Amino acid sequence: MPKIDASKSLAEIRAIAATNNPNLAVSTRETPVGLTAATMKIETSFQVTSKSSTILQAICGQITKVEMTFGFDDTTIYMPREISSGSCAYNQVLEHENKHVTVDRMIVESYAPYVQNELNRIVQAIGVVRGQNPYDVESMLRQTLNKKVEEIGQYLTAQRSEAQDRVDTPQEYERLSKSCGGDISGIVAQERKQGRI
């Protein structure tokens, strides 16, 4: 369940959205009323088998098992404090933000097999490495694996951004602005009139 944070003003939420932080589910086309933030994580752990080679005068090692955890942490939905909790406008914005949470869950479900397959492929591609001692071998393996995991993370961030943009359509924003008898549009207009946004 995402955490709900209703402590920020509409202006503060918009300032957060303007940072272009990849952890935010925010459209580049529209100005948000609410905001969803979640940190994507891909964590790996692995086992290394190493042997001493007298012929090569080195330690040879390879990853023999890799495990991963893939998901989103710290999911927070920011709701503007100008919208009363439980009101029609609040419920409409919350419903919209929960669509972003659903997209993140779908990303995990859809891409977890891809991430695991990529890790297995990467481990095979790395193969055997040689070093002076087991610590050097493990360090080289870790650096190579971490670099590849970072590349996977960049790819998934781009996929997430595209999927989140499909939530934040002009039609969806128009629907929100007209919902609840135009309450959301009225709140935004009032904040603009006051010079706060």
Side-chain angles (χ1 to χ4, degrees), residues 2-8 13 35 76-81 90:
K3 174 184 156 193
I4 307 293
D5 181 340
S7 68
K8 301 197 180 323
I13 289 172
L35 184 64
T76 303
I77 295 175
Y78 293 98
M79 297 291 293
R81 65 177 172 243
Y90 182 94

Side-chain angles (χ1 to χ4, degrees), residues 18-74:
T19 65
N20 293 321
N21 182 325
N23 294 333
L24 302 176
V26 62
S27 170
T28 55
R29 297 186 303 265
E30 303 291 339
T31 306
V33 175
L35 184 64
T36 300
T39 304
M40 184 189 301
K41 70 171 186 174
I42 304 173
E43 295 176 348
T44 59
S45 61
F46 61 89
Q47 292 178 350
V48 175
T49 299
S50 57
K51 293 182 180 180
S52 178
S53 171
T54 53
I55 295 171
L56 298 174
Q57 296 184 340
I59 301 293
C60 299
Q62 69 183 57
I63 297 174
T64 53
K65 182 180 180 183
V66 64
E67 294 178 350
M68 66 107 187
T69 303
F70 169 50
F72 289 90
D73 271 352
D74 307 323

Side-chain angles (χ1 to χ4, degrees), residues 57-186:
Q57 296 184 340
I59 301 293
C60 299
Q62 69 183 57
I63 297 174
T64 53
K65 182 180 180 183
V66 64
E67 294 178 350
M68 66 107 187
T69 303
F70 169 50
F72 289 90
D73 271 352
D74 307 323
T75 301
T76 303
I77 295 175
Y78 293 98
M79 297 291 293
R81 65 177 172 243
E82 293 87 355
I83 299 178
S84 300
S85 178
S87 68
C88 178
Y90 182 94
N91 292 336
Q92 286 295 309
V93 173
L94 184 60
E95 177 184 313
H96 172 84
E97 293 307 319
N98 273 308
K99 290 178 184 179
H100 290 294
V101 174
T102 299
V103 166
D104 283 348
R105 288 183 182 139
M106 290 171 50
I107 291 285
V108 172
E109 289 173 18
S110 299
Y111 285 95
Y114 163 80
V115 173
Q116 188 63 59
N117 290 336
E118 279 298 292
L119 288 175
N120 292 337
R121 187 190 63 74
I122 291 164
V123 167
Q124 290 295 322
I126 293 171
V128 176
V129 298
R130 294 168 183 80
Q132 299 266 337
N133 58 59
Y135 304 107
D136 288 346
V137 169
E138 187 171 334
S139 177
M140 285 186 276
L141 290 168
R142 183 174 309 283
Q143 286 176 7
T144 304
L145 187 61
N146 286 346
K147 182 176 183 259
K148 296 297 184 182
V149 167
E150 186 176 315
E151 291 170 9
I152 292 170
Q154 290 169 351
Y155 170 75
L156 292 174
T157 297
Q159 297 303 306
R160 177 187 188 225
S161 181
E162 286 178 23
Q164 295 294 2
D165 278 349
R166 289 190 289 274
V167 171
D168 288 334
T169 63
Q171 296 82 8
E172 172 69 359
Y173 275 83
E174 183 177 346
R175 182 193 72 76
L176 281 170
S177 70
K178 291 179 179 177
S179 66
C180 306
D183 286 353
I184 296 170
S185 293

